[in-house]
Amino acid sequence: MEPLTQCMRLSTLALYVECPHSKSWQDFVTTLHNIILHILSPRIQKLRLIFNFKSSDTRSELTFTDSVLRNVALDPVYSTTRNSRFNPLLDVTISLGSFSNHRDYFMMKDIKLTNKELAHQLRFLLQPWDKRGMLTFTNQYGYPLQADPGEIG
């Protein structure tokens, strides 16, 4: 991520991020926060993050668990996404996919989320950007993926 801190004239950025199934929800949130922290360009207008989740069948019994989500510190992410260096930001697209197996859910060490549940949680996590109307989600094929209206939080 160090090279990103040197790019002060970036207006568009696309990053591909592999998410192994051995990572927890907290690890995923920390990774997302670290990515955002390293974007220092005051000219950034368009951001695309492509997350590839590598799933494993060994934990297929995991289900959606509110307690896992509630234990994640959101304030650092909120604080970073509210930073004035993101004022020029107009469009954030997050692509979610499990490119290795084309499933409709994503597994982590401590939680299993469907596409819609993951989009819903990311909307909540990136709420300052979502409130500005610039946050969109796609699946690995580029088709829109939406959480149901009013599901945030």
Side-chain angles (χ1 to χ4, degrees):
M1 298 305 287
E2 189 65 31
L4 276 180
T5 62
Q6 316 268 323
C7 299
M8 300 304 285
R9 293 180 177 233
L10 278 179
S11 63
T12 301
L13 176 64
L15 293 173
Y16 177 84
V17 183
E18 292 216 8
C19 303
H21 69 274
S22 61
K23 296 288 185 181
S24 68
W25 176 248
Q26 177 63 63
D27 293 336
F28 174 75
V29 171
T30 301
T31 298
L32 178 61
H33 185 228
N34 285 334
I35 289 169
I36 295 167
L37 271 175
H38 283 87
I39 301 170
L40 298 180
S41 174
R43 298 179 182 190
I44 193 81
Q45 293 181 356
K46 186 172 184 173
L47 175 63
R48 180 164 187 217
L49 299 174
I50 305 155
F51 291 101
N52 178 6
F53 291 84
K54 302 249 181 203
S55 295
S56 169
D57 288 328
T58 59
R59 292 186 180 87
S60 61
E61 71 281 355
L62 285 173
T63 56
F64 179 83
T65 308
D66 278 340
S67 63
V68 171
L69 301 172
R70 278 193 303 261
N71 293 329
V72 173
L74 301 176
D75 288 339
V77 180
Y78 287 164
S79 176
T80 302
T81 54
R82 284 187 188 118
N83 190 295
S84 62
R85 76 175 178 266
F86 293 113
N87 286 351
L89 196 57
L90 301 172
D91 179 34
V92 178
T93 301
I94 298 179
S95 297
L96 305 170
S98 184
F99 295 89
S100 59
N101 56 23
H102 308 292
R103 292 195 177 115
D104 63 348
Y105 61 85
F106 306 100
M107 300 207 30
M108 295 173 209
K109 181 169 61 176
D110 53 357
I111 195 167
K112 175 177 147 184
L113 297 169
T114 65
N115 296 2
K116 287 180 94 175
E117 290 167 340
L118 184 54
H120 166 77
Q121 291 305 318
L122 288 171
R123 278 192 188 285
F124 183 68
L125 188 63
L126 300 171
Q127 205 169 39
W129 290 351
D130 194 38
K131 284 182 178 180
R132 289 175 52 192
M134 61 184 176
L135 190 59
T136 37
F137 292 89
T138 66
N139 65 15
Q140 69 257 33
Y141 305 110
Y143 294 110
L145 178 66
Q146 297 289 337
D148 292 334
E151 279 189 2
I152 296 175

